[in-house]
Amino acid sequence: MRLVVVSAGLSVPSSTRLLADRLSAATVGRTAAGADVDVEVVELRDLAVEIAHNFTNGFPGRKLAAALAAVTAADGLIVVTPVFSASYSGLFKSFFDVIDPDALAGKPVLIAATGGSARHSLVLEHALRPLFSYLRAVVVPTAVYAASEDWGAEGLPERIERAAAELATLMKGLPAPSTRSAPVKDDREEETGKSELTVVPFADQLAALAAR
């Protein structure tokens, strides 16, 4: 089983890489009982020049080609970006712009981000989740955001473990846990085999309003 971690952190050390490492360790811990997990980390800062060249000449360099192949062959992905201007970083987006559009179809992905303020936590829902939904990946329900004040505070470890468990479940080929409740059945339907709901055509409803 192959787990690939994509980190878009720029500094060394990086809080983005730290979050990526904690998420991957938690995921391995959730899957190790059932299978061996091979973890590969892709540091995008090392690929920045090759990504730029790929845009201008249409061909990936050796390191970029290896990273794209790793992501394509992965059984699961963890992707982590710092927040720049209330969205994912340009380097993060550029990497997923050069990947084959079908490479992530059906692939389990855990999305995460780091930032200096908790006010940017919605970047997960308004930027990252739509991006990977567009790429037809299967995004786990729990996304993880870590602001500066979250490190060492309550809540972050629990979110990491919950997201890791969801990713591990999908990597094992099991269905993702459903958050929807079961539909409520009308007792009258069970007795008669059909609903007694009467549907009034919209034209009739308009005619009734006009007659008042």
Side-chain angles (χ1 to χ4, degrees):
M1 190 176 296
R2 300 185 63 183
L3 173 65
V4 174
V5 183
V6 178
S7 172
L10 298 179
S11 60
V12 181
S14 163
S15 62
T16 300
R17 176 60 188 270
L18 176 60
L19 180 57
D21 288 343
R22 292 195 178 183
L23 288 166
S24 63
T27 303
V28 170
R30 294 283 185 164
T31 58
D36 292 331
V37 182
D38 180 22
V39 179
E40 181 174 349
V41 179
V42 175
E43 284 280 8
L44 295 188
R45 69 169 178 269
D46 298 333
L47 303 174
V49 173
E50 291 193 15
I51 291 173
H53 286 168
N54 194 108
F55 278 114
T56 57
N57 61 28
F59 297 97
R62 180 176 57 83
K63 291 182 180 180
L64 177 58
L68 295 175
V71 168
T72 302
D75 296 300
L77 288 178
I78 296 173
V79 298
V80 192
T81 178
V83 175
F84 287 174
S85 301
S87 188
Y88 37 61
S89 71
L91 180 59
F92 181 87
K93 179 61 163 58
S94 295
F95 177 75
F96 289 101
D97 279 344
V98 299
I99 199 168
D100 186 280
D102 297 323
L104 301 187
K107 196 178 300 294
V109 177
L110 191 167
I111 57 174
T114 58
S117 168
R119 293 193 297 270
H120 292 305
S121 61
L122 287 178
V123 69
L124 295 166
E125 303 303 327
H126 73 66
L128 270 77
R129 195 176 296 276
L131 170 62
F132 289 95
S133 295
Y134 172 77
L135 293 172
R136 293 178 291 144
V138 180
V139 186
V140 303
T142 300
V144 181
Y145 179 83
S148 299
E149 63 266 25
D150 288 329
W151 298 103
E154 294 183 2
L156 180 59
E158 290 76 13
R159 295 197 303 275
I160 288 174
E161 289 295 332
R162 184 166 63 248
E166 293 168 355
L167 179 60
T169 297
L170 290 173
M171 289 177 64
K172 292 176 183 178
L174 301 175
S178 175
T179 58
R180 295 184 299 175
S181 59
V184 178
K185 181 179 289 186
D186 191 328
D187 292 338
R188 292 172 297 179
E189 289 187 44
E190 190 169 345
E191 294 174 359
T192 63
K194 61 181 181 179
S195 172
E196 295 182 9
L197 178 65
T198 301
V199 178
V200 180
F202 185 59
D204 293 348
Q205 296 182 46
L206 288 178
L209 289 174
R212 292 181 181 176

